[in-house]
Amino acid sequence: MTSATREQVNAELTQVFVEYDTLPLAKMSSLHIGGMADIVASPTTVIELKDCIRIARQYKIPFRVIGRGSNLLFNDAGYRGMIIRTYKMKEMEVFQDAGLIRADAGVPLIHLAMTACRCGLGDFSFATGIPGSVGGAVYMNAGAFGGDIASVLLNVTVFDTATRQTYVLSRDELEMSYRHSNLMAHRNRVVLEARFKLSPAPAEELLARAEEYRARRDERQPLDYPSAGSAFLSHDGVSIGKLLDEAGLKGYTVGGAQISPKHAGFIVNLGDATAADIRALIAFAQKTVEEKYGFVPQTEMEFVPERE
Ligand SMILES: Cc1cc2nc3c(=O)[nH]c(=O)nc-3n(C[C@H](O)[C@H](O)[C@H](O)COP(=O)(O)OP(=O)(O)OC[C@H]3O[C@@H](n4cnc5c(N)ncnc54)[C@H](O)[C@@H]3O)c2cc1C
């Protein structure tokens, strides 16, 4: 993108009150990795989000909507186009009697799940330690401790960036399964908000369960280092971390990227890791598992290329 185009696009964003900034993508990723994007826009409402997409399409700029960047590996060279962050879209409504919660796409999942527990609406305790947004969690059907988004979701409102139509999709229409929804195959559908249907349950029980899960995460996961959570999807129910541990890869390091000595399913940034380090380490882990167990583990984290 030329600097003239960037200035024009930024002026258009200002006109519709959308904030933009020039922070490196590393600041928007839980892995703390990534170069500069041409433009980073942070809408606060659905209208502003749609304006960002309209402007990106008008100037024929590639764009990508992200949540809290907790499952993404950005490129060292950054992103040529507009990154649209939803983190400022964070309105939420609780309809306690009806057992319903409506949440904007940018609501932090931890906040939503803790609120549900405190209100005696269960069972969202599985999500009280997942650092994503509602949109990102629906997109990949985030889950833990036997629960997942599919088990609590009623429906989502999506905006189709190709047709510019807004419509509601039920949980079933999203065809959710283990760390999957069909939004992954329909990248033109952006989640604007989601509604969750929950049954009443004693708040103290839900909060006690959330606390137990938090303690288990603290004990097992390397939460003091930047990561994207589990690097690999389980294979037929088998944890890849367990296989990497058996293969002796705990602590294996490439540049600043390391297979965590605490939990081999996590790839952590020791401080100065590049995206190239992480990818090289992933490739090495995949090759090791393939040679020893006969299949190539698939990554759970998503790579964002410099150019779409
Ligand atoms: C310490 C740690 C622990 C974790 N533990 C878990 C866990 O227990 N279980 C689990 O499932 N995950 C876990 N994760 C991974 C991550 O938090 C989840 O995958 C989460 O759902 C990602 O949400 P996000 O908002 O950060 O999405 P991002 O990383 O920002 O984006 C991920 C994908 O979602 C898409 N997306 C984001 N918002 C929207 C939207 N509004 N509409 C359409 N698409 C959208 C993006 O385009 C991208 O393709 C963990 C991560 C960390 C760092």
Side-chain angles (χ1 to χ4, degrees):
M1 185 188 304
T2 64
S3 57
T5 309
R6 185 182 318 173
E7 272 173 35
Q8 276 177 324
V9 171
N10 285 344
E12 295 253 10
L13 289 172
T14 305
Q15 245 175 29
V16 291
F17 307 110
V18 174
E19 283 180 34
Y20 60 88
D21 52 45
T22 50
L23 293 173
L25 292 169
K27 299 267 184 208
M28 295 155 213
S29 136
S30 60
L31 265 167
H32 298 186
I33 290 174
M36 301 298 288
D38 291 334
I39 296 169
V40 178
S42 303
T44 58
T45 62
V46 164
I47 293 174
E48 288 182 9
L49 174 79
K50 290 182 180 179
D51 277 334
C52 293
I53 293 168
R54 173 181 57 75
I55 293 166
R57 292 189 83 90
Q58 182 186 333
Y59 284 86
K60 300 191 170 40
I61 300 167
F63 64 90
R64 191 175 272 241
V65 176
I66 70 161
R68 300 183 77 80
S70 63
N71 202 37
L72 297 177
L73 177 62
F74 289 115
N75 200 286
D76 293 319
Y79 182 76
R80 304 288 64 85
M82 187 192 292
I83 293 286
I84 304 172
R85 301 172 80 189
T86 62
Y87 82 112
K88 288 187 175 167
M89 297 169 56
K90 48 181 188 192
E91 295 289 315
M92 189 171 85
E93 290 168 284
V94 181
F95 304 95
Q96 190 138 6
D97 292 345
L100 271 177
I101 301 184
R102 186 206 67 77
D104 284 352
V107 169
L109 195 62
I110 292 176
H111 175 57
L112 166 62
M114 283 305 292
T115 303
C117 292
R118 281 192 203 104
C119 291
L121 294 174
D123 188 356
F124 230 133
S125 45
F126 73 87
T128 50
I130 303 179
S133 66
V134 163
V138 170
Y139 172 86
M140 58 92 77
N141 188 21
F145 303 112
D148 62 11
I149 292 295
S151 65
V152 286
L153 185 68
L154 180 65
N155 58 37
V156 288
T157 303
V158 296
F159 176 60
D160 189 319
T161 61
T163 63
R164 294 196 60 80
Q165 286 185 326
T166 302
Y167 46 89
V168 174
L169 291 174
S170 69
R171 188 257 317 267
D172 289 351
E173 285 172 307
L174 290 171
E175 299 174 318
M176 297 170 113
S177 56
Y178 168 68
R179 302 299 165 268
H180 172 86
S181 81
N182 65 13
L183 295 171
M184 291 168 155
H186 296 282
R187 294 213 53 105
N188 50 316
R189 291 179 184 165
V190 175
V191 175
L192 302 179
E193 61 176 26
R195 278 160 291 271
F196 300 89
K197 179 79 180 124
L198 304 156
S199 308
E204 58 280 13
E205 276 178 25
L206 298 173
L207 289 167
R209 204 170 302 148
E211 177 53 29
E212 181 200 326
Y213 292 157
R214 192 198 56 74
R216 274 158 70 176
R217 279 184 190 270
D218 273 0
E219 188 196 331
R220 295 178 190 177
Q221 299 182 355
L223 300 179
D224 36 359
Y225 285 96
S227 78
S230 293
F232 296 100
L233 294 166
S234 298
H235 181 82
D236 289 339
V238 176
S239 140
I240 302 305
K242 189 166 165 286
L243 303 186
L244 293 174
D245 189 2
E246 276 174 21
L249 288 197
K250 266 189 174 171
Y252 190 88
T253 303
V254 174
Q258 185 183 51
I259 294 183
S260 167
K262 190 169 177 184
H263 185 318
F266 278 58
I267 289 183
V268 296
N269 177 357
L270 293 176
D272 58 356
T274 60
D277 292 341
I278 302 268
R279 293 188 76 137
L281 187 52
I282 286 173
F284 182 74
Q286 285 175 320
K287 186 166 152 279
T288 304
V289 172
E290 185 181 17
E291 282 170 6
K292 204 161 174 339
Y293 301 97
F295 71 93
V296 179
Q298 300 305 302
T299 52
E300 182 171 318
M301 78 172 83
E302 233 182 84
F303 303 141
V304 182
E306 182 195 1
R307 292 174 199 279
E308 300 274 6

